Amino acid sequence: ISSHVSALERKLNIKLIVRTTKETYPSDAGKLLYKYAKEILQVRENAAIALRNFSQEMKGTISIAASTVPSQYYLPHLLQDFRARYPDITFNIQMEDSPKVVELVATRSVEIGFCGTMVASHKCVYQDFASDPMVLITPNTPRFAALKTQGVLGRELFREPFLFRERGSGTQKVIDNYLSEIRLDPQVIHTVAYVSDPTVLQRLVAEGTGVSILSALAVQEAVAAGQLLQFELDETPVRRSIYMARRRKSSMSSPARTFAELVRKQAKASV
């Protein structure tokens, strides 16, 4: 080891190790080289994994975690497109709220996550791949139908009894941010309940329990069926981003990497 270090010092013409009669320790240059050496070794390992995966056939299982809206309204066509090209790939999909999705990605429990909000995590990186419009929904009653005809905005209906998604969900974070933007104190809203299941929430609204805010994609069938009415929240449509999350500096399997690339290409195509 000493011989290798000495040879490297001669080649670089810089002292990497400080040697005294009492101790031996890295110089500032040695510490800097050590940092890059670790990165070089990690790149070498990633390259070896990538080449092994590349040489294998496109078979196996891709593990995914997704929150409600991505799993119901984006993943189906993504999976259909991918399996049309790679029919031997199977998927293992977990439905969780956005914070749990990011946790599963960060802990390597899944390779890819899809969520409705960016949860702070130094272990994850995010790709914005879709825009999700948010609307206020009400029961389809003559009173609300008249208000819709008058061009009333959703922000004018916050005095109604309100149903919210569960705290921590991507939808609820968008709502909280919007309330902050329009400077409306959440304490003045008459909150009836927090509901984790958006389908149950829609039924409660349809039955007159209160109004709510959900993804326009999530409520489009109920609106088309005449069960609900939807109102734009503001003059400028309120939207949120849907994200693909993966672990930072971590090699994915060849199938997962190929699937992630498909998602990125579709995101670019939709811009």
Side-chain angles (χ1 to χ4, degrees):
I1 293 174
S2 296
S3 176
H4 281 300
V5 171
S6 296
L8 189 58
E9 287 179 324
R10 288 193 298 273
K11 184 173 182 178
L12 297 175
N13 193 30
I14 194 169
K15 182 69 69 175
L16 299 173
I17 301 293
V18 178
R19 305 170 182 84
T20 69
T21 55
K22 295 183 179 180
E23 59 181 342
T24 301
Y25 56 90
S27 66
D28 288 343
K31 292 177 183 178
L32 180 62
L33 179 62
Y34 178 67
K35 171 181 175 293
Y36 283 107
K38 289 196 297 182
E39 294 180 4
I40 291 169
L41 291 174
Q42 184 62 56
V43 169
R44 184 183 71 172
E45 181 182 348
N46 291 346
I49 293 172
L51 289 171
R52 285 198 298 270
N53 289 334
F54 186 79
S55 66
Q56 297 171 355
E57 295 183 21
M58 283 291 286
K59 295 181 178 179
T61 300
I62 302 174
S63 57
I64 292 174
S67 59
T68 305
V69 169
S71 63
Q72 292 183 358
Y73 303 101
Y74 291 99
L75 276 185
H77 78 266
L78 289 172
L79 267 58
Q80 182 180 11
D81 289 350
F82 188 79
R83 294 202 72 255
R85 307 179 194 188
Y86 307 103
D88 294 327
I89 297 295
T90 57
F91 288 84
N92 181 17
I93 303 172
Q94 295 179 238
M95 286 185 62
E96 305 286 352
D97 60 20
S98 292
K100 183 64 176 180
V101 168
V102 175
E103 178 187 332
L104 291 171
V105 173
T107 57
R108 294 191 175 92
S109 299
V110 299
E111 291 188 278
I112 301 172
F114 294 93
C115 49
T117 186
M118 286 195 295
V119 179
S121 172
H122 68 279
K123 294 182 178 180
C124 294
V125 292
Y126 296 90
Q127 167 79 42
D128 182 338
F129 82 93
S131 178
D132 184 30
M134 307 297 292
V135 295
L136 185 139
I137 55 173
T138 72
N140 190 356
T141 64
R143 182 170 76 89
F144 285 113
L147 292 174
K148 186 171 179 63
T149 301
Q150 297 167 19
V152 169
L153 294 171
R155 65 180 293 169
E156 300 174 62
L157 301 176
F158 279 100
R159 296 292 182 182
E160 300 289 333
F162 234 94
L163 299 161
F164 288 109
R165 285 293 306 278
E166 78 278 15
R167 295 180 177 90
S169 71
T171 299
Q172 190 55 41
K173 286 194 174 183
V174 172
I175 296 171
D176 291 340
N177 290 337
Y178 177 69
L179 294 178
S180 177
E181 287 177 9
I182 65 174
R183 298 181 180 180
L184 179 62
D185 185 353
Q187 298 298 323
V188 306
I189 298 176
H190 176 202
T191 303
V192 177
Y194 291 91
V195 184
S196 60
D197 188 328
T199 302
V200 173
L201 193 154
Q202 291 179 59
R203 290 176 182 169
L204 290 170
V205 172
E207 292 173 5
T209 308
V211 302
S212 188
I213 297 174
L214 284 177
S215 159
L217 290 173
V219 304
Q220 60 185 355
E221 291 184 6
V223 171
Q227 299 167 357
L228 298 170
L229 295 175
Q230 74 174 46
F231 293 74
E232 290 291 345
L233 278 169
D234 223 316
E235 288 88 352
T236 302
V238 176
R239 297 175 177 272
R240 68 165 176 177
S241 293
I242 302 295
Y243 300 96
M244 176 176 65
R246 59 181 178 81
R247 185 176 169 85
R248 189 187 302 274
K249 294 183 179 180
S250 179
S251 293
M252 295 188 290
S253 65
S254 182
R257 190 172 59 253
T258 305
F259 179 68
E261 184 60 29
L262 171 69
V263 174
R264 282 192 286 267
K265 287 180 178 179
Q266 294 206 7
K268 288 182 180 178
S270 64
V271 175

